[in-house]
Structure formats: C-alpha cells, structure tokens
Amino acid sequence: MVDDVSLNRQFLENGDTEAFSLIFKKHYPVVYTRVARMMRNHPDPAVDAEDITQETFMKTFEKRDEVREPEKLRGWLLTIAKNLTLNEIRNAERRRQAGDSPLESLDSLSISEREAPYVTSFAETDAEQAEAIRYLMRQLLCLLQGKDRKVAELKIEGAEIEEIAETVGPNAEAVQKRWERVLEWLIPIALNLNALVNCLPEEKDRWIMERYLDEQSLSEIAKAIVGISRSKVEETVKRVIKQWKEAAKENPTDPVSAMVNNES
C-alpha cells in the first residue's frame, strides 16, 4: 500500500490523476468539515460548503507546482479552503448589505454600516440597528482591559479627552495617545470580528471566544465547555486577543488574512 507522502509526491511531481483521486477521497471529509464550521454563522444561498470544498481541490490541482514538500499537502489544502471560505464570507456580507443606506458613525469608533455590514445585516428597524450597534460595542469592550477599557467606556458615553484625563490621568495628551493606540487595532478587529472568530483553527477556541464576546464570565464558559478549566479559558482569551491585536497591526485592512498567514 502506498503511504501518504509517496501518494502526495506522485500527484505533485507527475500530476497523477489516479493519485489525485485517492487524495480527494481521503481528505474531502476533513476539508468539508472545516469549511462547514467556518460557514455555520454565514448561510448564503449563492454558495455552500460543498462548492467551496470542490473549488479547493480544483485549485490544488491547478497550483500543485507550488507545493514543495509532499508531507505538507494536507495543511496546504486546509489553508486554501480557509482562504476561499473567508472570501465567500466577505462576498456574502457585501451581497447582504447591497442597497442598504449607510448609518451615521458607530459611536466614538466611527464605524459605519458600509464598513461593518454584519453589524446591521438583519436589522429591519432603526431600533434593531441601534441595538446591534450597542451589542458590537459591548463585544469590543470585552477585548479591552484596565485603563484602555476605562477610556473606551468614557468615550462611548460621550466624554471629551480632557474630562477623561481627570478620571484616568495623567493628562489630556497621554489619554489622546492611548485612545489612538487602541483605535489603531480595535477598528480593524471591529470590521472583521465575525470572520476573526471563524478563522480560529481550534473549535474550542471558537466556542470560548463566541461565549466571551457574548459577555459570559470565564467561570460560566468553563462550566459550559466540558473538560476545560477557568484558567485555561482565561489563557485562551488572552492568547486570542493578542493574536487578533497583532494581526490588526500587521494588516489593518485585512487582519483575517494576517491571521491565516500566521497560522500557515
């Protein structure tokens, strides 16, 4: 029986269609499952997980010359699938927001509906839109700690920098710089929050962050997920926020791609 590396080599070096057929049968379930999980919160009649999975293998066949190490073919397949899925998620959100009128700025962060369509994708009334925006703001506050969070809370309440400095200190200039540093990475995350959750490779990480962003406490999350401690939940939250922050600084226009590339 041919081992996986030899099979991969037959396909990559010779374009062996029989080898490719065996690779397809072996890896299709894994690729499909990864795509389906990423799309579970983004149903779209224009495309489904099977379409993306099929396209993944088509691109793998077309670009097989780019894979230099046969033993890494599975990881390459999953990376292609992830990139294609994220593109479809973005396209679906653009389709859903087509024809919508832009809202005014999203409180102090100045994120419009045009920029963050998922915020109000399913909101039919102004009240629902306002609630969707408030919910996003609460999610973003979950990503902040200490003085950064205090400054953000006061800004959202409409406080001026000088007023915040009286509470947080030491002066208006320092507060302004702190706020600018926060916005530098927080806005890119806000614009891609759903996709950033969905691109996390570990299912438990996604479960934890979904619950954390839904304002569940660390203890509540630990109780809801079997086999995980509170300290592990806290460790995961801190690690993921750090990864998102680094990705947002590395690529402010597309932190999701930065996350995917860093995982590869």
Side-chain angles (χ1 to χ4, degrees):
M1 182 176 180
V2 181
D3 63 43
D4 287 350
V5 174
S6 298
L7 185 66
N8 293 349
R9 185 175 288 111
Q10 286 179 26
F11 161 60
L12 295 173
E13 294 180 357
N14 305 316
D16 188 319
T17 55
E18 185 176 347
F20 179 70
S21 178
L22 292 172
I23 289 168
F24 179 88
K25 291 177 181 178
K26 177 178 178 60
H27 294 294
Y28 185 94
V30 176
V31 175
Y32 178 86
T33 299
R34 172 65 65 85
V35 173
R37 284 175 178 170
M38 289 181 66
M39 292 191 69
R40 69 190 185 279
N41 293 327
H42 301 274
D44 181 19
V47 66
D48 59 21
E50 185 173 351
D51 294 331
I52 297 174
T53 304
Q54 294 280 357
E55 187 177 355
T56 296
F57 284 95
M58 288 173 59
K59 284 191 175 294
T60 299
F61 191 88
E62 293 169 0
K63 298 179 178 294
R64 60 188 181 279
D65 293 341
E66 297 179 16
V67 186
R68 305 300 180 189
E69 301 172 77
E71 64 272 15
K72 293 186 178 181
L73 179 60
R74 180 179 181 275
W76 204 66
L77 272 167
L78 292 174
T79 297
I80 291 176
K82 185 183 296 184
N83 289 337
L84 288 174
T85 305
L86 291 173
N87 284 337
E88 288 300 335
I89 288 172
R90 295 190 189 97
N91 290 337
E93 290 174 347
R94 292 189 188 102
R95 287 192 290 271
R96 282 196 292 268
Q97 69 122 13
D100 290 342
S101 58
L103 293 176
E104 295 180 358
S105 62
L106 177 58
D107 294 340
S108 302
L109 296 185
S110 299
I111 302 169
S112 69
E113 181 185 8
R114 177 181 56 78
E115 294 170 313
Y118 64 87
V119 176
T120 55
S121 294
F122 304 104
E124 296 181 355
T125 67
D126 289 344
E128 289 174 344
Q129 289 177 340
E131 179 55 36
I133 291 171
R134 284 193 292 271
Y135 178 63
L136 173 62
M137 299 305 298
R138 294 197 301 272
Q139 288 183 306
L140 296 178
L141 287 175
C142 291
L143 305 179
L144 301 174
Q145 298 292 329
K147 286 188 177 181
D148 286 352
R149 175 158 183 158
K150 186 62 178 177
V151 169
E153 288 174 338
L154 292 171
K155 282 292 291 180
I156 291 170
E157 291 171 3
E160 298 295 334
I161 291 295
E162 291 76 11
E163 297 174 295
I164 298 173
E166 294 176 3
T167 301
V168 177
N171 55 56
E173 182 180 359
V175 169
Q176 180 62 38
K177 288 182 178 179
R178 177 183 291 275
W179 181 233
E180 289 172 358
R181 287 196 299 270
V182 169
L183 291 181
E184 181 183 0
W185 61 268
L186 193 61
I187 287 179
I189 290 177
L191 300 177
N192 297 274
L193 191 55
N194 283 359
L196 283 167
V197 172
N198 281 319
C199 80
L200 293 171
E202 297 296 328
E203 189 172 44
K204 276 193 176 181
D205 288 357
R206 295 194 295 272
W207 288 345
I208 288 171
M209 293 310 298
E210 285 169 354
R211 287 165 172 77
Y212 183 72
L213 291 170
D214 202 31
E215 301 179 278
Q216 292 185 25
S217 69
L218 300 178
S219 298
E220 288 173 331
I221 298 171
K223 289 179 181 178
I225 302 176
V226 177
I228 190 166
S229 64
R230 184 190 182 283
S231 61
K232 184 63 177 178
V233 171
E234 184 176 12
E235 176 188 321
T236 300
V237 168
K238 289 180 178 179
R239 170 173 52 79
V240 170
I241 292 175
K242 181 180 179 182
Q243 290 172 338
W244 287 353
K245 188 174 181 179
E246 291 172 350
K249 289 183 176 180
E250 180 182 334
N251 190 345
T253 59
D254 192 1
V256 176
S257 292
M259 279 284 293
V260 171
N261 292 336
N262 291 338
E263 290 166 9
S264 301

